[in-house]
Amino acid sequence: MTEPINPVRNQLIEELKKSGFKNEQIIAAEESRACYGYDATRQCADPMLVLLPENGHQVEIALQLAAKKQLKIFPRGAASGMSGGAIPSDDGIVLSLTRMKRILEIDQENMIATVEPGVITGELQEEVSRLGLFYPPDPASLSFSTIGGNVAENAGGPRAVKYGVTANYVMGLEAVLVNGEVIKTGNKCIKSVSGYDLTSLLVGSEGTLAVITKILLKLLPAPEAVKTSLLAFPSMTAAALAINAMFKNQIAPSTIEFLDHHSINAVREGLPFTLPEEADTVLLVEIDGTSASVLAQSQKLKELFKDDALLMIEAQNESEREQLWIARRRLSPAIANIAPHKINEDIAVPRAAIPTVITRLEKLSEKVSLPIVCFGHAGDGNIHVNVMLDKNDPEQALRGHQAIDEIFAITLDLGGTLSGEHGIGNTKSAYFDKEWSPATIATMQAVKQAFDPENRLNPGKIFP
Amino acid sequence: MTEPINPVRNQLIEELKKSGFKNEQIIAAEESRACYGYDATRQCADPMLVLLPENGHQVEIALQLAAKKQLKIFPRGAASGMSGGAIPSDDGIVLSLTRMKRILEIDQENMIATVEPGVITGELQEEVSRLGLFYPPDPASLSFSTIGGNVAENAGGPRAVKYGVTANYVMGLEAVLVNGEVIKTGNKCIKSVSGYDLTSLLVGSEGTLAVITKILLKLLPAPEAVKTSLLAFPSMTAAALAINAMFKNQIAPSTIEFLDHHSINAVREGLPFTLPEEADTVLLVEIDGTSASVLAQSQKLKELFKDDALLMIEAQNESEREQLWIARRRLSPAIANIAPHKINEDIAVPRAAIPTVITRLEKLSEKVSLPIVCFGHAGDGNIHVNVMLDKNDPEQALRGHQAIDEIFAITLDLGGTLSGEHGIGNTKSAYFDKEWSPATIATMQAVKQAFDPENRLNPGKIFP
């Protein structure tokens, strides 16, 4: 079936070409547009038009033309987001920033990288590591996600315990407002208190306030050494006590990942080491820094838990380190064996609330008769909660949704938040007013209106 | 002379009393109001009324009543600010938050303190240090400034090199909007990406967006050890190279203060150690962390600079440490001997630009025939620039103002910012549009309007 002619689209294409857009930067064919309508949530949409700008000036042009015609704009990176933040509407224009992928500068003296939003995060990390520098944020998607997407969603990762999240590394931005005007925020100064912190406001705003076209990122000196250990404990409470003991004893791990007993059972077979039967919770702990401090902290770790841990393995080299990570890496595919589908959320709670949240989720699992598998970032309280079910069974699907409602209720009751690193997008917006008061939401909406009075920039995200 | 009767004030006082304000919380007498009209910039104003709320609810009441009468509100901590951020207008109400000084909770497990804005920063540090915890931001004013003021101005301090500034520790806020409604931002979660980051937007907003009534602060485990060294170099360039060499060699000092040759000459007499004649720049370096890592880094420091430093003293105990700090602490009073007055600014530049900025300021000093003394935070590029002059000499005063214009021009030319830690307030607002583009300022103003459409909350600050 041929698509009906869309005069708005046709006119826009003409104007874009007149303004210097090349044919291959304008995607109008139905079958090609489809490639820009999905994201990692498996939602699909069919945007009216897709543009692939190659520089900030073309982003300005696109936004100016869209403003004239009052069209909606949906910025997009690699679309690896887990909350629907990149899903367009059928009457919207997708602005895919994947062609803006230049590393513009690595300023070694100031330890700051200036990059375009389409740079793949992992590639940036490799590039700076060749210079002895380090960009710490490590979302699981880093080998394919873009730094622009990371900034828009304020991506986290296992290293957040010690190094924080993307927001902690963004020193400045260049962004195009919905009317096509350019703003610059921040600078290369470590201290800067001149006016409002628009940088932090744009980070994590999920593409709803402006289109980011340039990013200044703080870098660190690469750590000299890293040491990875796997520890097994007989209960989540014992593991949580162990984590607190680490912090109290000046051990500052870069990573503390955990696997609950469902997760352990899912990956136990075929591990390159033997987990004791009684192991209920496994912690994967990484310590990095200067060689001296890594050595001292690792020794302290061993002393601290020589009695309490059921098992403690310390990797002696890179290949042993990889072996310890196998359990964590195999998790996502392995839990697929528990049930055909999963609904996964990335709640976060204050770190000390982890044992309580796990206990309450176990009770919930019994109540809804669905397995709930938990793993994730124990060091920072960010838990990946997976409700395992068969979505084709309507009765299970219903219980699954009931479980999600209760998971959020438990999380908020414990002082937690709907999302630790995935963002709200369109998948969690219905729960947004459970977390924030009407006055707080109204304030956020007033900020949105200040930036985007016609609600044309990534509409339908965050707010209920 | 008796003041004329002010019917608006009298009516307001009646309503405040009806709403539970006690007599001693309402300051209407002219001579007492004067105590709330100044700040560290020595500006003076005479606010219409001063209120001393004792809890968040009273702040709400005050703002609701002010809203009804469309009166201006000026929040205020200890008024130790250096940019006029706390200066009221004569028709405004000062809201002094110094009575809201309770430490509400120190959550040791999550390492988070919840405090009211009037808590003295140094007192909070002492309180948490008794529990083995650490609140790093250390503005020079910490023994009398309030944490609320620190948050409103995003205060820095010497430790920012390693530990960052106040913004890096604020996890959440409770704040009252100009209409009297309460918002809560952030939470106790280390990772949280649910909606816009209003916390970071309020930090450093200089009391222009909302009145902060509660603050959640991240704490760290107290460092085991600290080692202080003083190093003298023959030039600023040599000192700057030394700083870069530290970072490249995995030395991560918590503090790198510097004194230029004017500063050195001002304090040279009577120091408990002898500075070589050729010393042009002195660095005061502190390294903290685990005992093992402090030892390793201190040894590396000594090796690195055993040839290049003209002098290197390492403090062996707390009293020797105090002796090394004497040079830095005596600076402010000592430079007063150079000239009767000083105009001091706290510019910041990208760290690597420090030698260039110092060279250009020396040329400027010759051009305007006024001594320009520089010291401050070499590790983070934040320089306290002091133009020394006799303000009573109109010709010198004129050259002083010319110098300030050029200091900001040089700073911005090198990618710097008007203020590293003092804020814009009303003393630097005339320069604000030199740093930011019209579109960026318009965006900040739109945010201001979103929070405070009638411009009643600390008006006259930040914007030109």
Side-chain angles (χ1 to χ4, degrees):
Chain A
M1 199 180 80
T2 324
E3 260 199 307
I5 287 169
N6 180 333
V8 175
R9 173 164 58 206
N10 290 352
Q11 204 194 344
L12 187 62
I13 292 173
E14 280 316 302
E15 292 183 34
L16 285 160
K17 284 182 181 169
K18 267 190 221 152
S19 306
F21 273 76
K22 289 169 279 183
N23 283 333
E24 84 251 25
Q25 294 180 266
I26 303 171
I27 296 178
E30 199 174 3
E31 62 281 11
S32 309
R33 283 176 352 228
C35 304
Y36 296 87
Y38 71 94
D39 79 353
T41 59
R42 302 189 191 180
Q43 296 176 73
C44 279
D46 178 24
M48 179 178 85
L49 192 67
V50 178
L51 300 179
L52 301 167
E54 289 176 351
N55 51 57
H57 182 59
Q58 287 195 324
V59 175
E60 291 169 50
I61 290 170
L63 283 163
Q64 281 160 9
L65 290 174
K68 263 204 273 182
K69 298 182 193 306
Q70 301 202 292
L71 295 169
K72 294 173 190 155
I73 289 278
F74 295 85
R76 180 185 181 87
S80 53
M82 306 284 278
S83 59
I87 300 297
S89 66
D90 291 358
D91 58 350
I93 301 169
V94 166
L95 218 53
S96 171
L97 299 158
T98 45
R99 287 195 176 196
M100 291 177 61
K101 56 180 179 188
R102 287 177 300 168
I103 296 175
L104 299 169
E105 183 194 46
I106 299 175
D107 175 346
Q108 294 190 64
E109 277 192 297
N110 288 306
M111 296 196 284
I112 293 168
T114 305
V115 304
E116 290 186 327
V119 171
I120 303 293
T121 307
E123 290 177 8
L124 173 69
Q125 287 181 334
E126 278 172 36
E127 205 63 46
V128 304
S129 87
R130 282 194 204 107
L131 304 168
L133 294 168
F134 181 40
Y135 175 69
D138 56 346
S141 59
L142 66 84
S143 61
F144 47 92
S145 65
T146 65
I147 193 77
N150 290 182
V151 170
E153 300 293 324
N154 191 11
R159 282 194 203 119
V161 192
K162 178 174 175 180
Y163 290 106
V165 295
T166 304
N168 301 107
Y169 294 85
V170 183
M171 299 188 67
L173 296 169
E174 187 180 280
V176 185
L177 300 173
V178 74
N179 65 5
E181 283 191 304
V182 181
I183 59 168
K184 281 186 191 175
T185 76
N187 49 48
K188 283 189 178 181
C189 302
I190 296 171
K191 281 181 186 166
S192 180
V193 289
S194 175
Y196 301 146
D197 183 359
L198 296 182
T199 307
S200 296
L201 184 60
L202 292 181
V203 175
S205 66
E206 306 197 15
T208 64
L209 298 181
V211 180
I212 293 165
T213 50
K214 201 184 280 180
I215 305 161
L216 267 68
L217 292 170
K218 180 170 94 168
L219 305 173
L220 300 179
E224 262 176 20
V226 57
K227 191 68 124 177
T228 306
S229 303
L230 183 142
L231 294 88
F233 291 93
S235 68
M236 180 57 73
T237 307
L241 287 173
I243 293 169
N244 269 346
M246 289 181 215
F247 288 108
K248 279 188 188 147
N249 284 278
Q250 308 282 341
I251 300 171
S254 56
T255 294
I256 313 176
E257 294 288 288
F258 83 100
L259 286 73
D260 75 351
H261 62 275
H262 288 295
S263 310
I264 293 172
N265 289 335
V267 295
R268 185 190 293 273
E269 294 293 313
L271 283 181
F273 49 86
T274 309
L275 277 176
E277 271 303 312
E278 324 85 89
D280 174 273
T281 304
V282 161
L283 297 183
L284 196 63
V285 178
E286 286 203 337
I287 294 167
D288 71 2
T290 62
S291 307
S293 109
V294 170
L295 188 66
Q297 289 182 63
S298 305
Q299 279 170 346
K300 213 179 244 177
L301 189 77
K302 277 185 274 191
E303 270 167 49
L304 269 178
F305 303 118
K306 64 179 190 297
D307 297 327
D308 297 341
L310 299 171
L311 175 75
M312 182 155 47
I313 313 174
E314 185 185 82
Q316 297 307 323
N317 52 48
E318 189 55 31
S319 93
E320 287 184 24
R321 185 182 168 213
E322 276 307 305
Q323 292 199 329
L324 294 188
W325 271 97
I326 281 178
R328 174 68 177 84
R329 295 231 168 89
R330 283 196 189 151
L331 255 183
S332 280
I335 62 170
N337 297 327
I338 299 175
H341 303 111
K342 64 177 176 186
I343 312 177
N344 64 329
E345 296 298 344
D346 79 312
I347 60 161
V349 292
R351 190 172 53 219
I354 292 182
T356 314
V357 83
I358 297 289
T359 308
R360 289 178 68 175
L361 291 178
E362 275 167 10
K363 282 189 193 143
L364 175 62
S365 169
E366 283 170 31
K367 181 175 156 190
V368 296
S369 299
L370 294 171
I372 298 180
V373 184
C374 294
F375 59 89
H377 316 303
D380 56 38
N382 183 198
I383 306 171
H384 295 291
V385 180
N386 299 269
V387 179
M388 308 307 301
L389 75 174
D390 180 351
K391 282 184 181 174
N392 299 324
D393 174 344
E395 214 260 326
Q396 278 197 38
L398 194 70
R399 281 186 279 133
H401 283 289
Q402 185 196 341
I404 297 302
D405 287 353
E406 295 209 21
I407 287 167
F408 287 138
I410 290 167
T411 303
L412 297 175
D413 183 45
L414 294 170
T417 178
L418 297 175
S419 177
E421 51 188 22
H422 295 167
I424 300 299
N426 63 11
T427 60
K428 274 169 282 195
S429 53
Y431 297 93
F432 199 60
D433 60 2
K434 304 258 187 277
E435 178 163 0
W436 303 110
S437 71
T440 304
I441 294 177
T443 303
M444 291 189 196
Q445 282 173 323
V447 170
K448 165 72 173 170
Q449 180 128 21
F451 276 82
D452 179 19
E454 294 168 330
N455 194 26
R456 290 191 293 103
L457 203 50
N458 207 13
K461 311 297 151 56
I462 301 178
F463 299 107
Chain B
M1 199 179 83
T2 323
E3 261 200 306
I5 288 170
N6 180 332
V8 175
R9 173 166 56 206
N10 290 351
Q11 203 193 343
L12 187 62
I13 291 173
E14 280 316 301
E15 292 182 33
L16 285 160
K17 285 183 181 168
K18 268 190 221 152
S19 305
F21 272 77
K22 289 169 279 183
N23 283 334
E24 85 253 24
Q25 293 181 264
I26 302 171
I27 296 178
E30 198 173 4
E31 62 282 9
S32 309
R33 280 170 3 221
C35 303
Y36 296 87
Y38 71 94
D39 79 353
T41 59
R42 301 187 192 183
Q43 296 175 75
C44 279
D46 178 24
M48 181 178 83
L49 193 67
V50 178
L51 300 179
L52 302 167
E54 288 177 351
N55 52 55
H57 182 60
Q58 288 196 323
V59 175
E60 291 169 50
I61 289 169
L63 284 163
Q64 281 159 10
L65 290 175
K68 262 203 274 181
K69 299 181 191 306
Q70 301 204 292
L71 295 168
K72 295 173 190 154
I73 289 278
F74 296 85
R76 180 185 182 87
S80 53
M82 306 285 278
S83 59
I87 300 297
S89 66
D90 290 357
D91 57 351
I93 301 169
V94 165
L95 219 52
S96 170
L97 300 157
T98 44
R99 287 196 177 195
M100 292 177 61
K101 56 181 180 188
R102 288 177 299 167
I103 297 177
L104 299 168
E105 183 195 46
I106 299 175
D107 174 346
Q108 294 190 62
E109 278 191 298
N110 289 306
M111 295 197 285
I112 294 168
T114 305
V115 303
E116 290 185 327
V119 171
I120 304 293
T121 306
E123 289 176 10
L124 173 68
Q125 288 182 333
E126 278 170 36
E127 205 63 46
V128 304
S129 87
R130 281 193 205 109
L131 303 168
L133 295 168
F134 182 40
Y135 175 69
D138 56 347
S141 58
L142 65 84
S143 62
F144 46 92
S145 66
T146 64
I147 194 76
N150 290 182
V151 170
E153 300 293 323
N154 191 10
R159 284 194 200 119
V161 192
K162 178 173 177 181
Y163 291 105
V165 295
T166 304
N168 301 108
Y169 294 85
V170 184
M171 299 188 69
L173 295 169
E174 186 179 281
V176 184
L177 300 174
V178 74
N179 64 6
E181 283 191 304
V182 180
I183 60 169
K184 280 186 193 176
T185 76
N187 48 48
K188 282 189 178 180
C189 302
I190 296 171
K191 281 182 185 166
S192 179
V193 289
S194 176
Y196 301 146
D197 182 359
L198 296 182
T199 308
S200 296
L201 183 60
L202 292 181
V203 175
S205 65
E206 307 196 18
T208 64
L209 298 182
V211 180
I212 293 166
T213 49
K214 202 184 279 181
I215 305 163
L216 267 68
L217 293 169
K218 180 170 95 169
L219 305 172
L220 300 179
E224 262 176 19
V226 58
K227 191 67 126 177
T228 305
S229 304
L230 182 141
L231 294 88
F233 291 92
S235 69
M236 180 57 72
T237 308
L241 287 173
I243 293 169
N244 269 345
M246 289 181 214
F247 289 109
K248 279 187 187 146
N249 285 277
Q250 308 281 343
I251 300 171
S254 55
T255 294
I256 312 177
E257 294 289 288
F258 83 100
L259 285 73
D260 75 351
H261 63 276
H262 288 296
S263 310
I264 293 173
N265 289 334
V267 295
R268 186 188 294 273
E269 294 295 312
L271 283 180
F273 48 87
T274 309
L275 276 175
E277 271 303 311
E278 324 85 88
D280 174 273
T281 304
V282 161
L283 298 182
L284 195 63
V285 179
E286 286 204 335
I287 296 168
D288 72 1
T290 62
S291 307
S293 109
V294 169
L295 187 67
Q297 290 183 62
S298 305
Q299 279 170 346
K300 214 180 243 178
L301 189 77
K302 277 186 272 191
E303 271 167 48
L304 268 178
F305 304 117
K306 64 178 190 294
D307 297 327
D308 298 342
L310 299 171
L311 174 74
M312 184 154 46
I313 312 174
E314 186 185 82
Q316 298 306 322
N317 51 48
E318 188 56 31
S319 94
E320 287 184 25
R321 185 182 169 213
E322 276 306 304
Q323 291 199 331
L324 295 188
W325 271 97
I326 281 177
R328 175 69 177 86
R329 296 231 169 89
R330 282 197 189 151
L331 255 183
S332 281
I335 63 172
N337 297 327
I338 298 175
H341 303 109
K342 63 178 176 185
I343 312 177
N344 64 330
E345 296 297 345
D346 79 313
I347 60 162
V349 292
R351 191 172 51 219
I354 292 181
T356 314
V357 83
I358 297 289
T359 307
R360 289 178 68 174
L361 291 178
E362 276 167 10
K363 282 188 193 143
L364 175 63
S365 168
E366 283 171 32
K367 183 175 155 189
V368 297
S369 298
L370 295 171
I372 298 180
V373 184
C374 294
F375 59 89
H377 316 302
D380 57 37
N382 184 198
I383 306 171
H384 295 290
V385 180
N386 300 269
V387 179
M388 308 307 300
L389 76 174
D390 180 352
K391 281 185 180 172
N392 299 324
D393 175 345
E395 214 261 326
Q396 278 198 39
L398 195 70
R399 280 185 279 133
H401 283 288
Q402 185 196 342
I404 298 301
D405 287 354
E406 296 209 20
I407 288 167
F408 287 139
I410 290 167
T411 303
L412 297 174
D413 183 46
L414 294 170
T417 178
L418 297 175
S419 177
E421 50 188 22
H422 295 168
I424 299 300
N426 64 10
T427 59
K428 274 169 281 194
S429 53
Y431 297 93
F432 199 61
D433 59 2
K434 305 261 187 275
E435 177 163 1
W436 302 111
S437 72
T440 305
I441 294 177
T443 304
M444 291 188 195
Q445 281 173 322
V447 169
K448 165 71 174 169
Q449 181 129 22
F451 276 81
D452 179 20
E454 294 168 330
N455 193 27
R456 289 191 294 103
L457 203 49
N458 208 11
K461 311 296 152 57
I462 302 178
F463 299 107

